[in-house]
Amino acid sequence: MTILPQAKPQGPGRPKDMEKRAAILEAAKALFIRNAFAGTSMDAVAAEAGVSKLTVYSHFGDKDNLFREVIRARIQDLVPEDIFRYDAQADVRDMLLKIALHHAHLECDVQNVGTFRAILSDCRQGNPRYGKLMWEEGPDRTHGLMERLLSQAVDGGKLDISNPKRASAQFFSLIKGELLLRRMFGCEDCPQAYATEIEQTARDGVDMFLRAYLPR
Protein backbone atom coordinates (compact mmCIF):
# COMPACT_ATOMS: atom_id res chain seq x y z
CA MET A 1 0.00 0.00 0.00
CA THR A 2 1.32 3.41 -0.96
CA ILE A 3 1.40 5.90 1.85
CA LEU A 4 0.85 9.43 0.65
CA PRO A 5 3.16 12.04 2.19
CA GLN A 6 1.45 14.17 4.75
CA ALA A 7 1.03 17.84 3.92
CA LYS A 8 3.49 20.02 5.74
CA PRO A 9 1.98 22.31 8.32
CA GLN A 10 1.76 25.90 7.16
CA GLY A 11 3.99 28.61 8.57
CA PRO A 12 2.92 30.94 11.34
CA GLY A 13 0.45 32.90 9.24
CA ARG A 14 2.69 35.44 7.56
CA PRO A 15 -0.13 37.24 5.73
CA LYS A 16 -1.78 37.80 9.10
CA ASP A 17 1.54 39.03 10.49
CA MET A 18 1.74 41.60 7.70
CA GLU A 19 -1.87 42.63 8.30
CA LYS A 20 -1.08 43.20 11.97
CA ARG A 21 2.02 45.18 11.09
CA ALA A 22 0.01 47.39 8.72
CA ALA A 23 -2.70 47.86 11.38
CA ILE A 24 -0.07 48.88 13.94
CA LEU A 25 1.49 51.40 11.54
CA GLU A 26 -1.92 52.93 10.74
CA ALA A 27 -2.82 53.14 14.43
CA ALA A 28 0.52 54.67 15.35
CA LYS A 29 0.28 57.22 12.55
CA ALA A 30 -3.18 58.35 13.70
CA LEU A 31 -2.12 58.57 17.34
CA PHE A 32 1.14 60.41 16.63
CA ILE A 33 -0.80 63.03 14.66
CA ARG A 34 -3.50 63.29 17.33
CA ASN A 35 -1.40 63.17 20.50
CA ALA A 36 2.19 63.84 19.34
CA PHE A 37 4.99 61.40 20.14
CA ALA A 38 5.20 62.04 23.88
CA GLY A 39 1.45 61.59 24.29
CA THR A 40 1.33 58.24 22.48
CA SER A 41 1.95 55.05 24.43
CA MET A 42 2.58 51.57 23.11
CA ASP A 43 -0.52 50.46 25.05
CA ALA A 44 -2.60 53.01 23.14
CA VAL A 45 -1.13 51.88 19.80
CA ALA A 46 -1.93 48.24 20.64
CA ALA A 47 -5.50 49.11 21.61
CA GLU A 48 -6.04 51.23 18.49
CA ALA A 49 -4.66 48.46 16.25
CA GLY A 50 -6.61 45.70 18.01
CA VAL A 51 -3.49 43.70 18.89
CA SER A 52 -1.57 42.93 22.06
CA LYS A 53 1.24 45.15 23.29
CA LEU A 54 3.57 42.16 22.93
CA THR A 55 2.70 42.03 19.22
CA VAL A 56 3.60 45.70 18.83
CA TYR A 57 6.97 45.16 20.52
CA SER A 58 7.67 41.98 18.53
CA HIS A 59 7.22 43.91 15.27
CA PHE A 60 8.96 47.17 16.14
CA GLY A 61 11.05 46.75 19.30
CA ASP A 62 10.39 50.14 20.88
CA LYS A 63 8.55 53.41 20.31
CA ASP A 64 11.46 55.12 18.56
CA ASN A 65 11.65 52.35 15.96
CA LEU A 66 7.88 52.39 15.53
CA PHE A 67 7.95 56.14 14.94
CA ARG A 68 10.74 55.80 12.39
CA GLU A 69 8.83 53.08 10.54
CA VAL A 70 5.66 55.18 10.52
CA ILE A 71 7.57 58.08 8.98
CA ARG A 72 9.47 55.84 6.55
CA ALA A 73 6.35 54.02 5.36
CA ARG A 74 4.42 57.27 5.02
CA ILE A 75 7.18 59.02 3.06
CA GLN A 76 7.84 56.08 0.75
CA ASP A 77 4.14 55.78 -0.02
CA LEU A 78 3.77 59.50 -0.68
CA VAL A 79 7.12 60.16 -2.36
CA PRO A 80 8.13 57.08 -4.37
CA GLU A 81 11.58 57.16 -5.93
CA ASP A 82 10.06 56.81 -9.41
CA ILE A 83 9.05 60.47 -9.31
CA PHE A 84 12.76 61.40 -9.30
CA ARG A 85 13.76 59.09 -12.14
CA TYR A 86 15.83 60.93 -14.73
CA ASP A 87 14.65 60.57 -18.33
CA ALA A 88 17.24 61.67 -20.88
CA GLN A 89 14.54 61.89 -23.56
CA ALA A 90 12.13 64.06 -21.55
CA ASP A 91 11.96 67.84 -21.40
CA VAL A 92 13.69 69.02 -18.24
CA ARG A 93 10.84 71.42 -17.41
CA ASP A 94 8.32 68.57 -17.58
CA MET A 95 10.44 66.48 -15.18
CA LEU A 96 10.80 69.32 -12.70
CA LEU A 97 7.17 70.35 -12.95
CA LYS A 98 5.97 66.82 -12.16
CA ILE A 99 8.09 66.81 -9.00
CA ALA A 100 7.09 70.36 -8.07
CA LEU A 101 3.35 69.81 -8.32
CA HIS A 102 3.50 66.50 -6.46
CA HIS A 103 5.71 67.85 -3.68
CA ALA A 104 3.90 71.16 -3.19
CA HIS A 105 0.48 69.52 -2.84
CA LEU A 106 2.00 66.89 -0.56
CA GLU A 107 3.70 69.27 1.85
CA CYS A 108 0.60 71.45 2.15
CA ASP A 109 -1.76 68.50 2.67
CA VAL A 110 -3.85 68.86 5.84
CA GLN A 111 -2.88 65.45 7.26
CA ASN A 112 0.81 65.95 6.58
CA VAL A 113 0.73 69.39 8.18
CA GLY A 114 -0.84 67.70 11.21
CA THR A 115 2.18 65.40 11.37
CA PHE A 116 4.54 68.39 11.20
CA ARG A 117 2.66 70.08 14.04
CA ALA A 118 2.87 66.97 16.20
CA ILE A 119 6.61 66.68 15.67
CA LEU A 120 7.18 70.38 16.36
CA SER A 121 5.22 69.95 19.58
CA ASP A 122 7.59 67.21 20.67
CA CYS A 123 10.65 69.30 19.71
CA ARG A 124 9.29 72.16 21.79
CA GLN A 125 8.98 69.76 24.75
CA GLY A 126 12.66 68.92 24.51
CA ASN A 127 12.54 65.82 22.29
CA PRO A 128 14.51 66.92 19.21
CA ARG A 129 15.46 63.36 18.26
CA TYR A 130 11.98 62.81 16.88
CA GLY A 131 12.33 65.82 14.64
CA LYS A 132 15.69 64.42 13.57
CA LEU A 133 14.05 61.11 12.64
CA MET A 134 11.48 62.99 10.58
CA TRP A 135 14.18 65.00 8.86
CA GLU A 136 16.25 61.93 7.98
CA GLU A 137 13.34 59.91 6.58
CA GLY A 138 11.55 62.85 4.95
CA PRO A 139 13.28 66.01 3.68
CA ASP A 140 16.82 64.61 3.79
CA ARG A 141 15.83 61.59 1.67
CA THR A 142 13.84 63.76 -0.74
CA HIS A 143 16.67 66.27 -1.12
CA GLY A 144 19.08 63.42 -1.83
CA LEU A 145 16.85 62.08 -4.59
CA MET A 146 16.47 65.56 -6.07
CA GLU A 147 20.21 66.18 -5.91
CA ARG A 148 20.81 62.94 -7.82
CA LEU A 149 18.33 63.94 -10.54
CA LEU A 150 19.84 67.42 -10.89
CA SER A 151 23.34 65.93 -11.18
CA GLN A 152 22.10 63.61 -13.92
CA ALA A 153 20.50 66.56 -15.72
CA VAL A 154 23.82 68.43 -15.51
CA ASP A 155 25.68 65.43 -16.91
CA GLY A 156 23.09 65.25 -19.71
CA GLY A 157 23.63 68.92 -20.60
CA LYS A 158 20.09 69.93 -19.64
CA LEU A 159 21.08 72.11 -16.67
CA ASP A 160 24.12 74.15 -15.66
CA ILE A 161 24.48 73.80 -11.87
CA SER A 162 27.73 74.00 -9.93
CA ASN A 163 26.25 72.84 -6.61
CA PRO A 164 23.32 70.39 -7.07
CA LYS A 165 22.88 69.98 -3.31
CA ARG A 166 22.28 73.70 -2.80
CA ALA A 167 20.14 73.86 -5.94
CA SER A 168 17.93 71.08 -4.54
CA ALA A 169 17.21 73.12 -1.42
CA GLN A 170 16.52 76.20 -3.55
CA PHE A 171 14.11 74.24 -5.74
CA PHE A 172 11.96 73.03 -2.84
CA SER A 173 11.90 76.50 -1.30
CA LEU A 174 10.80 78.12 -4.55
CA ILE A 175 7.95 75.74 -5.32
CA LYS A 176 6.09 76.14 -2.02
CA GLY A 177 6.93 79.69 -0.92
CA GLU A 178 5.16 80.54 2.34
CA LEU A 179 2.18 78.26 1.65
CA LEU A 180 3.25 75.52 4.08
CA LEU A 181 3.68 78.02 6.91
CA ARG A 182 0.31 79.56 6.17
CA ARG A 183 -1.39 76.18 6.54
CA MET A 184 0.68 75.38 9.63
CA PHE A 185 -0.68 78.54 11.24
CA GLY A 186 -4.22 78.03 9.91
CA CYS A 187 -4.09 81.13 7.70
CA GLU A 188 -5.58 79.78 4.47
CA ASP A 189 -9.00 81.41 4.06
CA CYS A 190 -10.51 79.62 1.05
CA PRO A 191 -9.56 75.98 0.33
CA GLN A 192 -10.23 76.36 -3.42
CA ALA A 193 -8.15 79.51 -3.75
CA TYR A 194 -5.40 77.96 -1.62
CA ALA A 195 -5.25 74.86 -3.85
CA THR A 196 -5.00 77.06 -6.93
CA GLU A 197 -2.22 79.07 -5.32
CA ILE A 198 -0.28 75.90 -4.48
CA GLU A 199 -0.27 74.89 -8.15
CA GLN A 200 0.60 78.33 -9.50
CA THR A 201 3.39 78.81 -6.95
CA ALA A 202 4.89 75.45 -7.97
CA ARG A 203 4.76 76.35 -11.67
CA ASP A 204 6.27 79.78 -11.07
CA GLY A 205 8.97 78.23 -8.90
CA VAL A 206 10.00 75.85 -11.68
CA ASP A 207 10.18 78.70 -14.19
CA MET A 208 12.33 80.79 -11.82
CA PHE A 209 14.60 77.81 -11.14
CA LEU A 210 15.10 77.23 -14.85
CA ARG A 211 15.87 80.90 -15.50
CA ALA A 212 18.77 80.48 -13.09
CA TYR A 213 20.04 77.08 -14.21
CA LEU A 214 19.26 76.47 -17.88
CA PRO A 215 22.47 76.43 -19.94
CA ARG A 216 23.16 79.81 -21.55
Side-chain angles (χ1 to χ4, degrees), residues 80-112:
E81 288 197 24
D82 283 354
I83 293 176
F84 296 91
R85 178 175 295 150
Y86 177 73
D87 182 353
Q89 306 305 316
D91 180 76
V92 68
R93 186 179 187 278
D94 290 341
M95 282 192 287
L96 295 180
L97 187 58
K98 180 177 70 172
I99 295 169
L101 292 173
H102 181 88
H103 189 80
H105 282 290
L106 192 66
E107 284 234 329
C108 297
D109 176 77
V110 172
Q111 188 179 43
N112 294 333

Side-chain angles (χ1 to χ4, degrees), residues 6 20 67 87 92 120 144 151:
Q6 291 185 346
K20 288 179 180 178
F67 180 79
D87 182 353
V92 68
L120 287 174
S151 296

Side-chain angles (χ1 to χ4, degrees), residues 146-158:
M146 188 66 190
E147 182 184 347
R148 183 185 68 188
L149 183 143
L150 294 177
S151 296
Q152 291 170 327
V154 170
D155 292 342
K158 292 179 181 289

Side-chain angles (χ1 to χ4, degrees), residues 191-213:
Q192 289 78 17
Y194 184 78
T196 300
E197 193 173 354
I198 289 173
E199 180 149 340
Q200 192 57 53
T201 299
R203 291 180 181 278
D204 291 347
V206 169
D207 289 340
M208 188 177 296
F209 185 84
L210 289 176
R211 281 198 293 272
Y213 289 123

